[in-house]
Amino acid sequence: MERRNLFKASAGIAAATAAGFPSPGVSQNAAARTLRFVPQANLANFDPIWGTQYVVRNAAAAVWDMLYGVDENLVPQPQMVEGETVSADGLTWEFRLRPGLLFHDGTPVLAKDVVASIARWAPRDPMGQMIRAIQDELVAVDDRNFRWKLRRPYPKMKFALGKTGTPCCFIMPERIATTGNATMITEYVGSGPMTFKRDEWVPGARAVFERFGRYTPREGTSSWLAGPKRVLVDRLEWVVMPDPATAANALQAGEVDWWESPISDLVPLLRRNRNIAVDIADPLGNIGSFRMNHLHAPFNNQKVRQAVMMAINQEDYMRAVVGSDTALWSVLGGFFTPGTSSYSEAGGEVMKRANMDGARRLLAESGYANEPVTCLVGQDQPLLKPMGDVTADLLRRLGMNVDFVATDWGTVGQRRAMRNPPGQGGWSMFHTWHAGADAVNPAGYNALRANGNDAWFGWPTVPSVEAGITEWFDAPTPETERAAIDKINRAAVENVVYAPTGFFRSYQAWRRNVSGVVKGPLPFFWGVSKS
Amino acid sequence: MPDGATVAIPPGLAIAQAMPDVLPPVRARRGLWGFLRRYPTMAIGGGLLLLMLLMAVFAPFLWTKDPTSLAPALRTREPGAQFWFGSDMLGRDVYSRVLYGARVSLLVGFSVAICASAIGLAIGLFAGFIRLADSIVMRVMDGMMSIPPILLAIALMALTRGSVQNVILAITIAEIPRVTRLVRGVVLSLREQPYVDAAVASGTGTVMIMWRHILPNTLAPLTVQATYICAAAMITEAILSFIGAGTPPIIPSWGNIMAEGRALWQVKPYIVFFPAIFLSVTVLAVNLLGDGLRDAIDPRLAKKL
Amino acid sequence: MWAYVIRRVLATIPVMAFVALFVFSLLYLAPGDPAAVIAGDQATPDDVERIRASLGLDRPYLVRFGEWVFRILQGDLGTSIFTNLPVGHMIQQRIEPTLSLMLVTLILAVSIAIPMGVVAAWKQGTWIDRAVMGFAVLGFSVPVFVVGYLLAYVFALELDWLPVQGYTPFREGLFPWLENLILPSVALGGVYIALIARITRATMLEVLQQDYVRTARAKGAGQRSILFVHALKNAAVPIVTVIGIGIALLIGGAVVTESVFAIPGLGRLTVDAILRRDYPVIQGVVLLFSFVYVLVNLAIDLLYTLFDPRIRY
């Protein structure tokens, strides 16, 4: 019998003892090894390729490992791969896996598993699609080596395989990865540092993960998805709490250890508690979006879109969404993540200062004929509901005919896919947000694409934005990249691909006996310990 | 002969009451004072309800602001001179919202009470009098009643777009079976009465019997039941809004104000507190009115007061 | 009587059939698209369409209803669209907290409400009666979530006597289990106590005026014996009826209570499923709740004959 199993068995006995005969010593020990975490949302499904919500990715990142992983500077570092060689023409990529990689069922991770995983992921991912379009072949050479041959160079390859934006390229066993990407996987055999306890999963309430003892971490220091993923607790329990007040109570009472997304109004309350630490969750934050339907009146009219963008007071949105704490939000003059090298305010003056009178004039000029503006607002989303309220007020003051559809996020999800006119089941606008980590550059920024029918909901057609994006992908130097970014930003503002409603960060909070919590676009459970 | 208590409580009565006797009330002393002395609960309930009604109707003249106008820069202000009941997380005036919110709650309460009673009465009379229809109708009602009303209302709300009309419709549908059962129970018990037998024997038509003998005797318990339905509907509306399946949030209703404020319950309790008080007081008023009415038309209870 | 029992049992079949059809139709007609939710915010319209087809959501009504009923008759409640877990399994995972909550609430409510109602009837017109009736009216008038937050604030946060939220399974000990259930049960029980106390008082008042009570009194029976033996026994039918009917209030209230106290039960499963339009789960849960409710009231109907042999059918 291996030592790991021995340990597992004794841990099991300890747990059983704790459960059967509550004795303070044992249960306290067990409690110290169990990290209880309140996630931002319910883990409703667990196929990170099939469903692309952030919450699924966050859980999946602990269970499945990736070939590369971005560090806190968003530079992709090797994770499962030992290294790669690229041919001089940039067309042939040879990857080599590092030794000792195991799936949770004990079988080794082989190149064929990787190839199957990439093949399932690529069609679901905007960057993956781009690579697939220029792919010559993707083959396993032997157990540890695989080769990806392209017809054109794709310099952002490592970023594509290691980015945080959904879907991430998680590596699964071949038999699971060959599941069609329209079907949900039913087996959760991971390759990462934690195993998923399927039998303890209660969707809507709980998800349980355990340390995978035979995971081999990399050497070096840990930084976001890069470096060693050393899990320091035995067990991670996700406790789903849909009501923020309940979660705040639980954290104060010590019933949970770490809350991913406390609402900012409750933060003062948490700060008063000396056992609780509060900090920014993700420095890259989020970008709020006022998404318009470019196919139908009134937002098929560029001037109407411009009028709305001019009328928007991002400060109102931000106060409504994240509160009065001005350290948490800022007004945007562009579409990319502020604080990163790609943030640009080219052409973005109009976004930064609300001008209601100018907006009314522009609306009058536009020939707006009082067509109803069908606003889809998901009431069950704490970030989107207040945005919708501000919008209703804004459009009414602007003099537009507001048709406010208050519904749940599921219905928004259905209706926003309809291309019919608003009166026939379609829509005019909805709110959403984009993770700052996805908006750091055009590669993963799905919502900025303006290629008509292939674009994201709203289907904007703006050739100048698309031209800018192509230029960025082909940019040989940082200067040309920058020029391309400015071009994209200017075109996106002028044509109002969508109207950003501001940049905001959110908090996370944890009990002080938990250490190792880092800021990042997702919660990283490795490196976190509890005393 | 079965006694009053056992027969008169049909197994479907949601907020079941002792069934009043179908006799006219003992004559009250004359004048307002006499009325107040005789039926204090009814007087208090009615008074409070009237107050709420007046408040709802005259909300625009009671120093309110536009209940939907936003001022994010002035959000979550404590109650004070500027915002009597404080402001919510969008900077809206809670006082104005609460006053306007009375309109929605009262509208939903009264509409559901009237619609459910009217439809339930019609179906109940029909079922009570026509044996063939009875088993079919009552099976359908049993089916509807075997879905707990809030669950049924939530499911119905999932069908449609959130609007006050749809909330009224959903709650009405959920309440109809209970009224139907009540009315049918009364009809079945009355049918056994000698004077109805006599009417049937003398060849009076079914419609005439219903009109002359059954309907008047049904109205009293139905009125009492209607007040309880009204109270229940106001709470159901609040619960629907609370879980996000009710009145569209753009309309200030007490349920919506509470739903919006509940996340801040610990730090800004007044956002939940004020609508909660108003809702509770209004429901209380309706319940007291119902109790008073029941006592008033139940002579045996009235005698003991 | 046996004929009645059989007839009454058989009568539940069409009721359940109606419920099945109703529940299925209702959710079939519902707007909102699970495919869109599953696909996620960053999904393209093609993704949504593909997922919808893979879930079979694009097939006709009768086909889907037929399949659903057929599978249910085999004991298969289907598979959740979101979790890909069998609905039966999900319900099984969630049933213990809800059952526990209802059971504790039921016991608590009955043991508080009946004495309250009896005493109120006995002391009719006194301040005790008024206090009981006042409490009952309040119980009806204050929404369950307000009571819930108030209790959590006072007893968990300020006084720190009881846990704020959560649920401890029964197998981890009676006390931890009970500790977590006290506040939710009191919050949920408010309306139920009010309901039972009122009906108890009302029927007791009726019964106390009956001849046989007067006879018992005349014969010199003790006050307690009159109240709890003669009168309460005769008042039992409406009281038990209301206890059964009140289960609906508990089910409805559990939805809210479980949210407030973060109890991972069926109520929260229902709300989550409805908001996410997870059809198989909604259908399974509503069907189950209805089934339980029908069974409880069937049992009570049959109990009538036990409690009150005067009722003949």
Side-chain angles (χ1 to χ4, degrees), chain B residues 11 145-146 159 235 291 300, chain C residues 31 137 140 198 206 245 290 293:
Chain B
M145 276 181 44
S146 56
L159 257 184
I235 287 188
D291 286 359
R300 276 191 295 180
Chain C
V137 175
F140 277 123
R198 283 181 71 138
E206 293 272 348
I245 287 154
S290 310
Y293 189 48

Side-chain angles (χ1 to χ4, degrees), chain B residues 54-77:
Chain B
L54 290 174
M55 200 186 73
V57 171
F58 295 105
F61 308 103
L62 295 172
W63 306 277
T64 54
K65 304 167 187 164
D66 177 354
T68 58
S69 87
L70 308 183
L74 301 172
R75 67 195 297 277
T76 58
R77 293 293 155 94

Side-chain angles (χ1 to χ4, degrees), chain B residues 223-265:
Chain B
T223 309
V224 175
Q225 178 70 6
T227 58
Y228 297 125
I229 289 178
C230 175
M234 288 195 280
I235 287 188
T236 305
E237 187 273 333
I239 287 178
L240 286 178
S241 300
F242 183 76
I243 62 172
T247 309
I250 205 153
I251 299 171
S253 80
W254 291 335
N256 279 335
I257 305 169
M258 280 187 272
E260 286 173 357
R262 72 170 169 145
L264 304 187
W265 163 252

Side-chain angles (χ1 to χ4, degrees), chain C residues 12-34:
Chain C
T12 57
I13 294 172
V15 170
M16 289 312 293
F18 173 82
V19 172
L21 186 68
F22 186 77
V23 167
F24 185 85
S25 313
L26 195 71
L27 296 159
Y28 177 84
L29 294 169
D33 185 357

Side-chain angles (χ1 to χ4, degrees), chain A residues 30 41 77 93 100 106 112 169 195 203 224 245 300 360 371 393-394 407 411 421 430 443 469 484 507 509:
Chain A
Q77 306 289 352
W93 290 72
K112 66 180 171 73
C169 185
T195 58
W224 285 13
N300 59 354
R360 287 204 183 102
E371 295 100 344
D393 185 57
L394 175 95
T407 177
T411 309
F430 66 88
I469 292 173
Y507 281 116

